Amino acid sequence: MTTPARMPRHPLYGWMWAYPGGQLLFMGGEIAQWTEWSEERGVDWAALDGSMHRGVQELVRALNRVSTTNRATWERDHEPAGFQWLDADDDEHSVFGFLRWSSDGRQVLACLANFTPVPRDGYR
């Protein structure tokens, strides 16, 4: 999988799209609106006037595109053989990683996430 050069960085969305199971965004999560959705107000589409909100929308759009072209992101969601931890124990750095495999084993998705604001240059 290649990452678009302009894709905004937000590890939680990338992690959620790569992790097994369906993604769940509730009304307005795809644009990171400031307030909780309400049936009285609806989605705060005006938030898209801000570049950060547009960036989250672009990220969700890019992740959806990647999911449609990489079977490893969904094909074996409910099969243990479709998932492999690379590192689930690095509590010191809060970095986690796993692989997802397509049914034929030809497509592999690697997801590595740093859940801190600290850069991990040269992380192995």
Side-chain angles (χ1 to χ4, degrees):
M1 174 179 104
T2 58
T3 304
R6 292 186 52 232
M7 182 184 280
R9 294 181 182 187
H10 194 298
L12 190 54
Y13 279 115
W15 180 269
M16 190 165 56
W17 258 252
Y19 204 77
Q23 301 79 32
L24 179 60
L25 286 181
F26 191 68
M27 308 291 276
E30 71 278 11
I31 63 169
Q33 69 180 24
W34 292 111
T35 58
E36 184 176 349
W37 180 82
S38 166
E39 71 279 356
E40 295 172 6
R41 291 186 312 275
V43 174
D44 183 14
W45 295 112
L48 290 174
D49 292 339
S51 63
M52 289 179 21
H53 296 276
R54 280 193 319 276
V56 171
Q57 184 187 42
E58 290 172 16
L59 172 63
V60 170
R61 183 178 294 127
L63 290 168
N64 284 336
R65 267 194 306 271
V66 167
S67 293
T68 63
T69 60
N70 190 321
R71 295 186 338 261
T73 62
W74 54 266
E75 196 169 53
R76 298 174 83 182
D77 262 352
H78 307 290
E79 298 176 30
F83 180 88
Q84 176 185 349
W85 279 110
L86 293 173
D87 193 348
D89 300 315
D90 190 355
D91 57 343
E92 181 180 340
H93 298 103
S94 294
V95 174
F96 303 93
F98 58 85
L99 298 175
R100 297 286 308 276
W101 300 89
S102 63
S103 289
D104 62 9
R106 297 178 75 183
Q107 288 188 341
V108 181
L109 173 108
C111 180
L112 303 166
N114 173 6
F115 287 102
T116 74
V118 179
R120 303 290 181 204
D121 297 328
Y123 186 85
R124 296 181 71 82

